[in-house]
Amino acid sequence: MTAPLGLIAGLGDLPVQVAQAATASGQGVHVLRLKGFEEPRLSVFPGDVVGIAQLGRVFKAFKSVGCKQVCFAGIVKRPDFSALKPDMTGIGLLPRVLNAARKGDDALLRVLIEAFEKEGFEVIGAEQVTGTLQAGEGLIAGSNPSELVLADLKKAAEIASDLGRHDIGQGVIVCDGLVLCVEAQEGTDAMLARCSTLDVALRGTPEARRGVLVKRPKPIQDRRIDLPTIGVATLEGAAKAGLAGIGFEAGGALLIGGDALIEKAEALDLFLYGFPKDWGK
């Protein structure tokens, strides 16, 4: 009997696609939805709801059904650490978690990955389960960027790389050479919403699109977890902000939705473009 995939899930489309892919492949899945971030669509899969600091319960649940591989997927906001209710295993790890949290999200995630590996689990990326999400290089949707737009993409890629080295964020918006927004703890959707409130002298409009959003992994991060994702909400936010398109590091982003995402991008008059890994490094 194939060992089911252990899925630690937050909100959004990504964990749903991972669970569906694991089920379709015959591997099966056991989903632990994080309390406060329960994706309703995942309730149809075997599993349970667990507290975000109940690591002992998580390990026990996965081992009880024979999980060997574990995947993290979905949107989870940084918790209020003072309000956590860890179990005994979580208490033992808490000092390291708190210390890592002061350094940034990726330092925190690395501590969690190490904890799972010490328990004998193999931590894998969402793209290893689905096999279809990882973005390639070149034009994916829409019209080819002009030289001016490519210059915006390259500048945004360089800035995103610099931000990532400091564990700040994965997204940057640049228009006509001007940096409009950088992503920190608010997330991409909130950053795009903020961009849409800027004066139209600084950004594009749906009638005259200008500027780009770039998302790329942080140079310091473990790519098995928290790769940048681009889904319908990202497209809609970019369109509302008047942007011309979205760029991402080839092999370093997950496109959520397949052909439907490409169709949506073209319907919104947005391009999707995978740039080379060496841009801005």
Side-chain angles (χ1 to χ4, degrees):
M1 182 177 179
T2 304
L5 174 71
L7 176 60
I8 299 175
L11 297 167
D13 292 333
L14 181 57
V16 176
Q17 291 199 18
V18 170
Q20 290 172 339
T23 301
S25 71
Q27 179 179 15
V29 68
H30 192 79
V31 182
L32 295 183
R33 294 179 291 155
L34 295 176
K35 189 173 182 179
F37 303 96
E38 299 103 314
E39 173 57 58
R41 291 172 291 173
L42 291 171
S43 62
V44 299
F45 297 96
D48 201 354
V49 176
V50 299
I52 201 166
Q54 294 180 318
L55 281 177
R57 185 178 172 193
V58 170
F59 296 153
K60 183 177 179 180
F62 284 158
K63 289 178 180 179
S64 70
V65 295
C67 296
K68 304 296 184 184
Q69 295 179 318
V70 171
C71 179
F72 295 75
I75 300 167
V76 178
K77 300 297 183 182
R78 177 175 279 236
D80 176 359
F81 290 102
S82 66
L84 292 179
K85 297 180 179 179
D87 57 18
M88 291 303 296
T89 303
I91 288 173
L93 193 63
L94 195 57
R96 288 187 62 208
V97 167
L98 293 175
N99 182 57
R102 296 187 187 98
K103 300 175 183 177
D105 287 345
D106 287 290
L108 173 59
L109 292 173
R110 284 195 294 273
V111 168
L112 294 176
I113 289 173
E114 289 172 8
F116 277 84
E117 289 178 335
K118 284 182 179 179
E119 288 292 319
F121 297 107
E122 178 191 4
V123 178
I124 64 174
E127 73 281 3
Q128 292 176 255
V129 184
T130 64
T132 59
L133 292 175
Q134 206 159 16
E137 187 171 332
L139 187 68
I140 306 295
S143 302
N144 272 304
S146 67
E147 287 300 316
L148 288 176
V149 175
L150 280 173
D152 280 348
L153 283 169
K154 290 177 180 178
K155 182 169 184 175
E158 180 178 358
I159 294 167
S161 185
D162 289 340
L163 288 173
R165 290 189 185 95
H166 297 283
D167 205 352
I168 295 173
Q170 299 174 323
V172 177
I173 298 173
V174 172
C175 181
D176 297 339
L178 183 66
V179 179
L180 301 188
C181 297
V182 296
E183 178 186 358
Q185 286 297 313
E186 78 274 33
T188 304
D189 292 347
M191 176 182 64
L192 287 166
R194 177 158 49 92
C195 183
S196 71
T197 67
L198 296 177
D199 193 291
V200 293
L202 299 174
R203 61 177 177 86
T205 66
E207 295 74 33
R209 297 197 173 280
R210 294 185 296 142
V212 298
L213 163 67
V214 158
K215 298 190 72 174
R216 75 183 311 176
K218 302 170 186 176
I220 61 174
Q221 82 176 71
D222 188 319
R223 294 193 174 209
R224 291 173 293 176
I225 187 170
D226 197 33
L227 276 182
T229 59
I230 297 164
V232 170
T234 319
L235 298 181
E236 291 174 343
K240 186 176 180 181
L243 301 182
I246 300 171
F248 38 82
E249 181 182 310
L254 304 179
L255 302 183
I256 312 298
D259 291 343
L261 185 75
I262 293 172
E263 291 171 6
K264 181 71 172 180
E266 294 183 340
L268 292 171
D269 192 25
L270 292 169
F271 68 77
L272 297 175
Y273 187 87
F275 57 81
K277 294 179 181 180
D278 61 356
W279 272 19
K281 291 188 176 180

